[in-house]
Amino acid sequence: SNPFEVKVNRQKFDILGRKTKNDVGLPGVSRSKAIKKRNQTLLKEYKEREKSNVFKDRRFGEYNTKISPDEKMIRRFTLERQQNYGKKNIYNLNEDEELTHYGQSLAEIEKLNDIVDSDSDTEERGTLSAELTAAHFGGGGGLLRKKASSEQQEEEEKPKSRKELIEEMIAKSKQEKQERQSQRESALELTEKLDNDWKEIQTLIARKAPKSERKDKAVEKPKPDDYDMIVRELGFEMKAKPSERMKTEEELAKEEQARLQKLEAERLRRMRGIDEQANKKKPSHVSADDLADGFILDKDDRLLLSYKDGKMNIENEVEGEKDEEEEEEGGQEDNEDDEESEEESANEDEEDSAANSHSDLESDLESEEEAARNEEQKKHKTNENKSQSAEELDPKIEAAKAELPYTFAVPESYETFKSLLTGRTIEQQLTILERIQKCNHPSLAAGNKAKLEKVFGFLLEYIGELATLDLPELRTIDKLVLPLYNLCQMFPEAASDSIKFILRDAAHDMEEVIEVKGRATFPGLDTLIYLKITSLLFPTSDFWHPVVTPAFMYMSQLLTKCRVTTLEDVIKGLFVCCLFLEYVSLSRRFVPELINFLLGVLHISLPKNQAQGYAVVHPFRPVGKNLELLLVSDKKDLDSWQKQNLPLSIVTRLKETSTTEMNHIRLSCLALCFDLIKKCAVLYESLPSFHEIMHPIRILLKQHVPVQEYPAQMQEWYHSALKELENKVKHYTPLVCEKKKPVPLKQYTPKIVKVLEFGRKQASSKQEQERKQLIQKHKRELKGAIREIRKDNQFLARMQLSEIMERDAARKRKVKELLGSLATQEGEWKAMKRKKWKN
């Protein structure tokens, strides 16, 4: 009805035929409707947010008959504890818990309020008599009632004074105490009398049962339960003790260095002949009549400061003091001997003078002669003692000299390093290397790391020198690999640089020989041993490694570029093949040079002109001089051959061996070749082209190898290798074209596109259009929901504000009332005061 409350929604364009719903809006009416609706719903929920009209029994398991009552109580107790537990109780030490026993608090029971003290005089503690309360507190209502009931008696009798009442009370308490004491004494007498009577009667009543009846009636003790056994075991179990802290690597190195320095000092002392027992001061003989007049309490032990080469010299001073002490002790012993001899001579002189009574001149001469004899005897004794001590110390000194020093400085050059190890046993060499490493640990000093890195290179050079001897010391090399490995673990970068330098030099040497002669030869034993050490020091299964990959390439060049002209070359090539198998045992990497070399080794074990059905690859030739290197035609040598391992040191002894031994070595090389073929078959069986790779070897083994001429053991090796090659199943996956969706043919029919009305959201298809409509609808609903939530929050804020204002108004009203009442009281009091002042 009110035109100001009407809102007209104008449209930009009038469209014929379109019905409009919201041409005219009533914002006031819609707002009042929304407020009314919120008063009926939201306001009602807000006022009843902390109220519940329905009682719900939420006790756990109240209506569940399957749970026992004990279990219900336990679960309820745990749920109650969980509800009370929160973040604020994280650090609670159970101080707020109150433990109960039969409904009583244990804390109150522990206060021992109800315990009667046996030493107390009165049994009724804490109770006051009526007289006492009357005397001190005026008697209260009881005395008033007494006064009301017996007013006449009180008028006739005089009231007692305070002093008389207290005296009566004291007399009564003493009388009661005496009575209680007499009752207690009489009770004790009666109990003693009863005890004595019972003892007299018990001897008549008691009758001991015979042993047979006792055994029958003996009750078997119950066997302890598992729980009781565990409890007893836990009682006797050892409690854990805190262990010491784990020491760091630096601390361990310092302790080891200190230990070795101490042992070296002891060895040097033994080598110099300084005995520990001699250094200890022996207590000089003191007679019973000695008054200890020359005893000095304090001795000046201060050392004189001296320098040597810019450093303090303390050792020489200590040694000088020891020498002085020894001289003093020797001088004291000599003085004692002189005194004894003088006393003896004096006594003898007195006896002679008393007996013979000769002249004084003769007696003086005799005493001088005796003194000279005593001096000669003393000198002779001291010389004998010195010779005996020297004889005893000689073997100790020699043993100390022969013993290895405990501390070593890091050698600066290879010559000094070599001089430390040459002429020593294997165990001594290992001990020297270990002590060098421990005494010069990198954590002990700044430059020790660079020094020990040099030691790794020196040790590699020393191993190479041992390998190039006429009789290579392979056992020593095998033992020296362990300290080499330890140094490699400590300094991996320096170790890898040293090995790479050696491999680089070997590869350059091989290239120079190829440039000069056109063909290369297999390297010496030192290079082959370096290749073996590389596999021990570094991981060989990596796809690429800065040390192993160059070694891998170098070995493949050895098998392809080095000509096989002698039996020594065959042995070295087979050693490289063994190294290849060791390198690729984990990665299973395919090495074609290995297969080709084994094929060539089989080829040179056949007679000439039999290379049919397979092709031989360089360095082997199908025709030439160096064929039949492994061919053995002597039947005696074939029959006498036995399988033996080929040591690498046999390469240096081939020139001195006989023809029979040479034939045996050839057969051993052929057996090793069969073994390597078997291992290759096991290693590469998973390759899809395995049969094609092994096809030449299979043909050579089947058609050309003279198996019947070989000994029985060799035939077993041959058949096992051939069996491994033939038993592998071919697993090929057929080639299939890749499946693709067929491309449709081009058509010339026109494409009809629906032209949509202006202003609508154009889409490529009906589904896309519906999707966009849903998105639009979702946005519209989301905006409406957000608007409603905002209005709800505003409504609740208004309600909360009105509540706060009501509370504030009530509080102000009450404060005004209180202030008004206080003002009236103050006015009345002041008026009364003025009135009194006027009066």
CSV table of all heavy atoms in Angstrom, one decimal, residues 557-607:
chain,number,residue,atom,x,y,z
A,557,GLN,N,90.3,-53.8,-24.7
A,557,GLN,CA,91.4,-53.6,-25.7
A,557,GLN,C,92.4,-54.7,-25.7
A,557,GLN,O,93.0,-55.1,-26.7
A,557,GLN,CB,92.0,-52.2,-25.5
A,557,GLN,CG,91.1,-51.1,-25.9
A,557,GLN,CD,91.8,-49.7,-25.6
A,557,GLN,OE1,92.9,-49.7,-25.1
A,557,GLN,NE2,91.1,-48.7,-26.0
A,558,LEU,N,92.7,-55.2,-24.5
A,558,LEU,CA,93.7,-56.3,-24.3
A,558,LEU,C,93.2,-57.5,-25.1
A,558,LEU,O,94.0,-58.2,-25.8
A,558,LEU,CB,93.9,-56.6,-22.9
A,558,LEU,CG,94.7,-55.6,-22.0
A,558,LEU,CD1,94.8,-56.2,-20.6
A,558,LEU,CD2,96.1,-55.4,-22.5
A,559,LEU,N,92.0,-57.8,-25.0
A,559,LEU,CA,91.5,-59.1,-25.7
A,559,LEU,C,91.3,-58.9,-27.2
A,559,LEU,O,91.1,-59.9,-27.9
A,559,LEU,CB,90.1,-59.5,-25.1
A,559,LEU,CG,90.2,-59.9,-23.6
A,559,LEU,CD1,88.8,-60.4,-23.2
A,559,LEU,CD2,91.2,-61.1,-23.4
A,560,THR,N,91.3,-57.7,-27.7
A,560,THR,CA,91.1,-57.5,-29.1
A,560,THR,C,92.3,-57.0,-29.9
A,560,THR,O,92.5,-57.4,-31.0
A,560,THR,CB,90.0,-56.4,-29.3
A,560,THR,OG1,90.4,-55.2,-28.6
A,560,THR,CG2,88.7,-56.9,-28.9
A,561,LYS,N,93.3,-56.4,-29.2
A,561,LYS,CA,94.5,-55.8,-29.9
A,561,LYS,C,95.7,-56.6,-29.6
A,561,LYS,O,96.7,-56.5,-30.4
A,561,LYS,CB,94.7,-54.3,-29.5
A,561,LYS,CG,93.6,-53.4,-29.9
A,561,LYS,CD,93.8,-52.0,-29.6
A,561,LYS,CE,92.7,-51.1,-30.1
A,561,LYS,NZ,93.0,-49.6,-29.7
A,562,CYS,N,95.8,-57.4,-28.5
A,562,CYS,CA,97.1,-58.1,-28.2
A,562,CYS,C,97.1,-59.4,-28.9
A,562,CYS,O,96.1,-60.2,-28.7
A,562,CYS,CB,97.2,-58.3,-26.7
A,562,CYS,SG,97.3,-56.7,-25.8
A,563,ARG,N,98.1,-59.7,-29.7
A,563,ARG,CA,98.2,-60.9,-30.5
A,563,ARG,C,98.5,-62.1,-29.5
A,563,ARG,O,99.3,-61.9,-28.6
A,563,ARG,CB,99.3,-60.8,-31.5
A,563,ARG,CG,99.1,-59.8,-32.6
A,563,ARG,CD,98.1,-60.3,-33.6
A,563,ARG,NE,98.6,-61.5,-34.3
A,563,ARG,CZ,99.5,-61.5,-35.3
A,563,ARG,NH1,99.8,-60.3,-35.8
A,563,ARG,NH2,99.9,-62.6,-35.9
A,564,VAL,N,98.0,-63.3,-29.9
A,564,VAL,CA,98.2,-64.5,-29.1
A,564,VAL,C,99.2,-65.3,-29.9
A,564,VAL,O,98.9,-66.0,-30.8
A,564,VAL,CB,96.9,-65.3,-28.8
A,564,VAL,CG1,97.2,-66.5,-28.0
A,564,VAL,CG2,95.9,-64.4,-28.1
A,565,THR,N,100.5,-65.2,-29.4
A,565,THR,CA,101.5,-65.9,-30.1
A,565,THR,C,102.2,-67.0,-29.3
A,565,THR,O,102.8,-67.9,-29.9
A,565,THR,CB,102.6,-64.9,-30.6
A,565,THR,OG1,103.1,-64.3,-29.4
A,565,THR,CG2,102.1,-63.9,-31.6
A,566,THR,N,102.1,-67.0,-28.0
A,566,THR,CA,102.7,-68.0,-27.1
A,566,THR,C,101.7,-68.4,-26.1
A,566,THR,O,100.6,-67.9,-26.0
A,566,THR,CB,103.9,-67.3,-26.4
A,566,THR,OG1,103.4,-66.2,-25.6
A,566,THR,CG2,105.0,-66.9,-27.4
A,567,LEU,N,102.1,-69.5,-25.4
A,567,LEU,CA,101.3,-70.0,-24.3
A,567,LEU,C,101.1,-69.0,-23.2
A,567,LEU,O,100.1,-69.0,-22.5
A,567,LEU,CB,101.9,-71.3,-23.8
A,567,LEU,CG,101.1,-72.2,-22.8
A,567,LEU,CD1,99.7,-72.5,-23.4
A,567,LEU,CD2,101.8,-73.4,-22.4
A,568,GLU,N,102.1,-68.2,-23.0
A,568,GLU,CA,102.0,-67.2,-21.9
A,568,GLU,C,100.9,-66.2,-22.2
A,568,GLU,O,100.2,-65.8,-21.3
A,568,GLU,CB,103.4,-66.4,-21.9
A,568,GLU,CG,103.4,-65.3,-20.9
A,568,GLU,CD,104.8,-64.6,-20.9
A,568,GLU,OE1,105.7,-65.1,-21.5
A,568,GLU,OE2,104.9,-63.5,-20.3
A,569,ASP,N,100.8,-65.8,-23.5
A,569,ASP,CA,99.7,-64.9,-23.9
A,569,ASP,C,98.3,-65.6,-23.7
A,569,ASP,O,97.3,-64.9,-23.3
A,569,ASP,CB,99.8,-64.5,-25.4
A,569,ASP,CG,101.1,-63.8,-25.7
A,569,ASP,OD1,101.6,-63.2,-24.7
A,569,ASP,OD2,101.5,-63.8,-26.8
A,570,VAL,N,98.2,-66.9,-23.9
A,570,VAL,CA,96.9,-67.6,-23.7
A,570,VAL,C,96.6,-67.5,-22.2
A,570,VAL,O,95.4,-67.2,-21.8
A,570,VAL,CB,97.0,-69.0,-24.1
A,570,VAL,CG1,95.8,-69.8,-23.8
A,570,VAL,CG2,97.3,-69.1,-25.6
A,571,ILE,N,97.6,-67.8,-21.3
A,571,ILE,CA,97.3,-67.8,-19.9
A,571,ILE,C,96.9,-66.4,-19.4
A,571,ILE,O,95.9,-66.2,-18.7
A,571,ILE,CB,98.5,-68.2,-19.1
A,571,ILE,CG1,98.8,-69.7,-19.4
A,571,ILE,CG2,98.4,-68.1,-17.6
A,571,ILE,CD1,100.1,-70.2,-18.9
A,572,LYS,N,97.6,-65.3,-19.9
A,572,LYS,CA,97.2,-64.0,-19.5
A,572,LYS,C,95.8,-63.6,-20.1
A,572,LYS,O,95.0,-62.9,-19.4
A,572,LYS,CB,98.2,-63.0,-20.1
A,572,LYS,CG,99.6,-63.1,-19.3
A,572,LYS,CD,100.6,-62.1,-19.9
A,572,LYS,CE,101.9,-62.1,-19.2
A,572,LYS,NZ,102.9,-61.2,-19.7
A,573,GLY,N,95.5,-64.0,-21.3
A,573,GLY,CA,94.2,-63.7,-21.8
A,573,GLY,C,93.1,-64.4,-21.1
A,573,GLY,O,92.0,-63.8,-20.8
A,574,LEU,N,93.3,-65.7,-20.6
A,574,LEU,CA,92.3,-66.4,-19.8
A,574,LEU,C,92.1,-65.7,-18.5
A,574,LEU,O,91.0,-65.7,-17.9
A,574,LEU,CB,92.7,-67.8,-19.7
A,574,LEU,CG,92.5,-68.7,-20.9
A,574,LEU,CD1,93.1,-70.1,-20.7
A,574,LEU,CD2,91.1,-68.8,-21.4
A,575,PHE,N,93.2,-65.2,-17.9
A,575,PHE,CA,93.1,-64.4,-16.7
A,575,PHE,C,92.3,-63.2,-16.8
A,575,PHE,O,91.4,-62.9,-16.0
A,575,PHE,CB,94.5,-64.0,-16.2
A,575,PHE,CG,94.5,-63.3,-14.9
A,575,PHE,CD1,94.3,-63.9,-13.7
A,575,PHE,CD2,94.8,-61.9,-14.9
A,575,PHE,CE1,94.3,-63.2,-12.5
A,575,PHE,CE2,94.8,-61.2,-13.7
A,575,PHE,CZ,94.5,-61.8,-12.5
A,576,VAL,N,92.4,-62.5,-17.9
A,576,VAL,CA,91.6,-61.3,-18.2
A,576,VAL,C,90.1,-61.7,-18.4
A,576,VAL,O,89.2,-61.0,-17.9
A,576,VAL,CB,92.1,-60.5,-19.5
A,576,VAL,CG1,91.2,-59.4,-19.8
A,576,VAL,CG2,93.5,-60.0,-19.2
A,577,CYS,N,89.9,-62.9,-19.0
A,577,CYS,CA,88.5,-63.4,-19.1
A,577,CYS,C,87.9,-63.7,-17.8
A,577,CYS,O,86.7,-63.3,-17.5
A,577,CYS,CB,88.5,-64.7,-20.0
A,577,CYS,SG,88.9,-64.4,-21.7
A,578,CYS,N,88.7,-64.2,-16.9
A,578,CYS,CA,88.2,-64.5,-15.5
A,578,CYS,C,87.9,-63.1,-14.8
A,578,CYS,O,86.8,-63.0,-14.1
A,578,CYS,CB,89.2,-65.2,-14.7
A,578,CYS,SG,89.5,-66.9,-15.3
A,579,LEU,N,88.7,-62.1,-15.0
A,579,LEU,CA,88.4,-60.8,-14.5
A,579,LEU,C,87.2,-60.2,-15.0
A,579,LEU,O,86.4,-59.6,-14.3
A,579,LEU,CB,89.6,-59.9,-14.8
A,579,LEU,CG,90.9,-60.0,-13.9
A,579,LEU,CD1,91.9,-59.0,-14.3
A,579,LEU,CD2,90.6,-59.9,-12.4
A,580,PHE,N,86.9,-60.4,-16.3
A,580,PHE,CA,85.7,-59.9,-17.0
A,580,PHE,C,84.5,-60.5,-16.3
A,580,PHE,O,83.5,-59.8,-16.0
A,580,PHE,CB,85.7,-60.2,-18.5
A,580,PHE,CG,86.0,-59.0,-19.3
A,580,PHE,CD1,87.1,-59.1,-20.2
A,580,PHE,CD2,85.4,-57.8,-19.2
A,580,PHE,CE1,87.4,-58.0,-21.0
A,580,PHE,CE2,85.7,-56.7,-20.0
A,580,PHE,CZ,86.7,-56.8,-20.9
A,581,LEU,N,84.5,-61.8,-16.1
A,581,LEU,CA,83.4,-62.5,-15.4
A,581,LEU,C,83.2,-62.0,-14.0
A,581,LEU,O,82.0,-61.9,-13.5
A,581,LEU,CB,83.6,-64.0,-15.4
A,581,LEU,CG,83.3,-64.7,-16.8
A,581,LEU,CD1,83.6,-66.2,-16.6
A,581,LEU,CD2,81.8,-64.6,-17.2
A,582,GLU,N,84.3,-61.7,-13.3
A,582,GLU,CA,84.1,-61.2,-12.0
A,582,GLU,C,83.5,-59.7,-12.0
A,582,GLU,O,82.8,-59.4,-11.1
A,582,GLU,CB,85.5,-61.1,-11.3
A,582,GLU,CG,85.5,-60.8,-9.9
A,582,GLU,CD,86.9,-60.8,-9.3
A,582,GLU,OE1,87.8,-61.5,-9.9
A,582,GLU,OE2,87.1,-60.3,-8.2
A,583,TYR,N,83.9,-58.9,-13.0
A,583,TYR,CA,83.4,-57.6,-13.1
A,583,TYR,C,81.9,-57.5,-13.4
A,583,TYR,O,81.2,-56.7,-12.8
A,583,TYR,CB,84.2,-56.8,-14.2
A,583,TYR,CG,85.5,-56.2,-13.8
A,583,TYR,CD1,86.5,-56.9,-13.3
A,583,TYR,CD2,85.6,-54.8,-14.0
A,583,TYR,CE1,87.7,-56.3,-12.9
A,583,TYR,CE2,86.8,-54.2,-13.6
A,583,TYR,CZ,87.8,-54.9,-13.1
A,583,TYR,OH,89.0,-54.3,-12.7
A,584,VAL,N,81.4,-58.4,-14.2
A,584,VAL,CA,80.0,-58.4,-14.7
A,584,VAL,C,79.1,-59.4,-14.0
A,584,VAL,O,78.0,-59.6,-14.4
A,584,VAL,CB,79.9,-58.6,-16.2
A,584,VAL,CG1,80.7,-57.5,-16.9
A,584,VAL,CG2,80.4,-59.9,-16.6
A,585,SER,N,79.6,-60.0,-12.9
A,585,SER,CA,78.8,-61.0,-12.2
A,585,SER,C,77.5,-60.5,-11.7
A,585,SER,O,76.5,-61.2,-11.6
A,585,SER,CB,79.6,-61.6,-11.1
A,585,SER,OG,80.0,-60.6,-10.1
A,586,LEU,N,77.5,-59.2,-11.2
A,586,LEU,CA,76.3,-58.6,-10.7
A,586,LEU,C,75.5,-57.8,-11.7
A,586,LEU,O,74.3,-57.9,-11.8
A,586,LEU,CB,76.6,-57.6,-9.5
A,586,LEU,CG,77.2,-58.3,-8.3
A,586,LEU,CD1,77.7,-57.2,-7.3
A,586,LEU,CD2,76.2,-59.2,-7.6
A,587,SER,N,76.2,-57.1,-12.6
A,587,SER,CA,75.5,-56.3,-13.6
A,587,SER,C,75.0,-57.1,-14.8
A,587,SER,O,74.1,-56.7,-15.5
A,587,SER,CB,76.3,-55.1,-14.0
A,587,SER,OG,77.5,-55.6,-14.7
A,588,ARG,N,75.6,-58.3,-15.0
A,588,ARG,CA,75.3,-59.2,-16.2
A,588,ARG,C,75.4,-58.4,-17.5
A,588,ARG,O,74.6,-58.6,-18.4
A,588,ARG,CB,73.9,-59.7,-16.0
A,588,ARG,CG,73.7,-60.7,-14.8
A,588,ARG,CD,72.3,-61.2,-14.7
A,588,ARG,NE,72.2,-62.1,-13.6
A,588,ARG,CZ,72.4,-63.5,-13.7
A,588,ARG,NH1,72.7,-64.0,-14.9
A,588,ARG,NH2,72.3,-64.2,-12.7
A,589,ARG,N,76.4,-57.6,-17.6
A,589,ARG,CA,76.7,-56.8,-18.8
A,589,ARG,C,77.3,-57.7,-19.8
A,589,ARG,O,78.2,-58.5,-19.5
A,589,ARG,CB,77.6,-55.6,-18.5
A,589,ARG,CG,77.8,-54.7,-19.6
A,589,ARG,CD,78.7,-53.5,-19.2
A,589,ARG,NE,78.0,-52.8,-18.1
A,589,ARG,CZ,78.7,-51.8,-17.4
A,589,ARG,NH1,79.9,-51.5,-17.7
A,589,ARG,NH2,78.0,-51.2,-16.5
A,590,PHE,N,76.8,-57.6,-21.1
A,590,PHE,CA,77.3,-58.5,-22.2
A,590,PHE,C,78.7,-57.9,-22.7
A,590,PHE,O,78.8,-56.7,-22.9
A,590,PHE,CB,76.3,-58.5,-23.3
A,590,PHE,CG,76.8,-59.3,-24.5
A,590,PHE,CD1,77.1,-60.6,-24.4
A,590,PHE,CD2,76.9,-58.7,-25.7
A,590,PHE,CE1,77.6,-61.3,-25.4
A,590,PHE,CE2,77.4,-59.4,-26.8
A,590,PHE,CZ,77.7,-60.7,-26.7
A,591,VAL,N,79.6,-58.8,-22.7
A,591,VAL,CA,81.0,-58.5,-23.2
A,591,VAL,C,81.3,-59.3,-24.4
A,591,VAL,O,81.6,-60.5,-24.3
A,591,VAL,CB,82.0,-58.8,-22.1
A,591,VAL,CG1,83.4,-58.3,-22.5
A,591,VAL,CG2,81.6,-58.1,-20.8
A,592,PRO,N,81.2,-58.8,-25.6
A,592,PRO,CA,81.4,-59.6,-26.8
A,592,PRO,C,82.9,-60.0,-26.9
A,592,PRO,O,83.2,-61.1,-27.5
A,592,PRO,CB,81.0,-58.7,-28.0
A,592,PRO,CG,81.0,-57.3,-27.4
A,592,PRO,CD,80.7,-57.4,-26.0
A,593,GLU,N,83.8,-59.2,-26.4
A,593,GLU,CA,85.3,-59.6,-26.5
A,593,GLU,C,85.5,-60.9,-25.8
A,593,GLU,O,86.4,-61.7,-26.2
A,593,GLU,CB,86.1,-58.5,-25.9
A,593,GLU,CG,86.1,-57.2,-26.7
A,593,GLU,CD,85.0,-56.3,-26.3
A,593,GLU,OE1,84.2,-56.7,-25.4
A,593,GLU,OE2,84.9,-55.2,-26.9
A,594,LEU,N,84.8,-61.1,-24.7
A,594,LEU,CA,85.0,-62.3,-23.9
A,594,LEU,C,84.6,-63.5,-24.7
A,594,LEU,O,85.3,-64.6,-24.8
A,594,LEU,CB,84.2,-62.2,-22.6
A,594,LEU,CG,84.0,-63.4,-21.7
A,594,LEU,CD1,85.4,-63.9,-21.2
A,594,LEU,CD2,83.1,-63.2,-20.6
A,595,ILE,N,83.4,-63.5,-25.4
A,595,ILE,CA,83.0,-64.7,-26.2
A,595,ILE,C,83.9,-64.9,-27.3
A,595,ILE,O,84.3,-66.1,-27.6
A,595,ILE,CB,81.5,-64.4,-26.7
A,595,ILE,CG1,80.6,-64.0,-25.5
A,595,ILE,CG2,81.0,-65.6,-27.4
A,595,ILE,CD1,80.4,-65.1,-24.5
A,596,ASN,N,84.4,-63.9,-28.0
A,596,ASN,CA,85.3,-64.0,-29.1
A,596,ASN,C,86.6,-64.6,-28.7
A,596,ASN,O,87.2,-65.5,-29.4
A,596,ASN,CB,85.5,-62.7,-29.8
A,596,ASN,CG,84.3,-62.2,-30.5
A,596,ASN,OD1,83.4,-62.9,-30.9
A,596,ASN,ND2,84.2,-60.8,-30.6
A,597,PHE,N,87.1,-64.2,-27.6
A,597,PHE,CA,88.4,-64.7,-27.1
A,597,PHE,C,88.3,-66.2,-26.7
A,597,PHE,O,89.2,-67.0,-27.1
A,597,PHE,CB,88.9,-63.9,-25.9
A,597,PHE,CG,90.4,-64.2,-25.6
A,597,PHE,CD1,91.4,-63.5,-26.2
A,597,PHE,CD2,90.7,-65.2,-24.6
A,597,PHE,CE1,92.7,-63.8,-25.9
A,597,PHE,CE2,92.0,-65.4,-24.3
A,597,PHE,CZ,93.0,-64.7,-25.0
A,598,LEU,N,87.2,-66.6,-26.1
A,598,LEU,CA,87.0,-68.0,-25.8
A,598,LEU,C,86.9,-68.9,-27.0
A,598,LEU,O,87.4,-70.0,-27.1
A,598,LEU,CB,85.8,-68.2,-24.9
A,598,LEU,CG,85.9,-67.6,-23.5
A,598,LEU,CD1,84.5,-67.8,-22.7
A,598,LEU,CD2,87.0,-68.2,-22.7
A,599,LEU,N,86.2,-68.3,-28.1
A,599,LEU,CA,86.1,-69.0,-29.3
A,599,LEU,C,87.5,-69.2,-30.0
A,599,LEU,O,87.8,-70.3,-30.5
A,599,LEU,CB,85.2,-68.2,-30.3
A,599,LEU,CG,84.9,-68.8,-31.7
A,599,LEU,CD1,84.2,-70.1,-31.6
A,599,LEU,CD2,84.2,-67.8,-32.5
A,600,GLY,N,88.3,-68.1,-29.9
A,600,GLY,CA,89.7,-68.2,-30.4
A,600,GLY,C,90.5,-69.2,-29.7
A,600,GLY,O,91.3,-70.0,-30.3
A,601,VAL,N,90.4,-69.3,-28.3
A,601,VAL,CA,91.1,-70.3,-27.5
A,601,VAL,C,90.7,-71.7,-28.0
A,601,VAL,O,91.6,-72.6,-28.1
A,601,VAL,CB,90.9,-70.1,-26.0
A,601,VAL,CG1,91.5,-71.2,-25.2
A,601,VAL,CG2,91.5,-68.8,-25.6
A,602,LEU,N,89.4,-72.0,-28.2
A,602,LEU,CA,89.0,-73.3,-28.7
A,602,LEU,C,89.6,-73.6,-30.1
A,602,LEU,O,90.0,-74.7,-30.4
A,602,LEU,CB,87.5,-73.4,-28.7
A,602,LEU,CG,86.8,-73.5,-27.4
A,602,LEU,CD1,85.3,-73.5,-27.6
A,602,LEU,CD2,87.2,-74.7,-26.6
A,603,HIS,N,89.7,-72.5,-30.9
A,603,HIS,CA,90.2,-72.6,-32.3
A,603,HIS,C,91.6,-73.1,-32.3
A,603,HIS,O,92.0,-73.9,-33.1
A,603,HIS,CB,90.0,-71.3,-33.0
A,603,HIS,CG,90.6,-71.3,-34.4
A,603,HIS,ND1,90.1,-72.1,-35.4
A,603,HIS,CD2,91.7,-70.7,-34.9
A,603,HIS,CE1,90.8,-71.9,-36.5
A,603,HIS,NE2,91.8,-71.0,-36.2
A,604,ILE,N,92.5,-72.5,-31.4
A,604,ILE,CA,93.9,-72.9,-31.4
A,604,ILE,C,94.2,-74.2,-30.8
A,604,ILE,O,95.3,-74.6,-30.7
A,604,ILE,CB,94.7,-71.8,-30.8
A,604,ILE,CG1,94.3,-71.6,-29.3
A,604,ILE,CG2,94.7,-70.5,-31.5
A,604,ILE,CD1,95.2,-70.6,-28.5
A,605,SER,N,93.1,-74.9,-30.2
A,605,SER,CA,93.3,-76.2,-29.7
A,605,SER,C,93.0,-77.3,-30.7
A,605,SER,O,93.1,-78.5,-30.4
A,605,SER,CB,92.4,-76.4,-28.4
A,605,SER,OG,91.1,-76.4,-28.8
A,606,LEU,N,92.6,-76.9,-31.9
A,606,LEU,CA,92.2,-77.8,-33.0
A,606,LEU,C,93.4,-78.0,-34.0
A,606,LEU,O,94.2,-77.1,-34.1
A,606,LEU,CB,91.0,-77.3,-33.7
A,606,LEU,CG,89.7,-77.1,-32.8
A,606,LEU,CD1,88.6,-76.5,-33.7
A,606,LEU,CD2,89.3,-78.4,-32.2
A,607,PRO,N,93.4,-79.1,-34.7
A,607,PRO,CA,94.3,-79.2,-35.8
A,607,PRO,C,94.0,-78.2,-36.9
A,607,PRO,O,92.9,-77.7,-37.0
A,607,PRO,CB,94.1,-80.7,-36.3
A,607,PRO,CG,93.1,-81.3,-35.4
A,607,PRO,CD,92.6,-80.3,-34.5
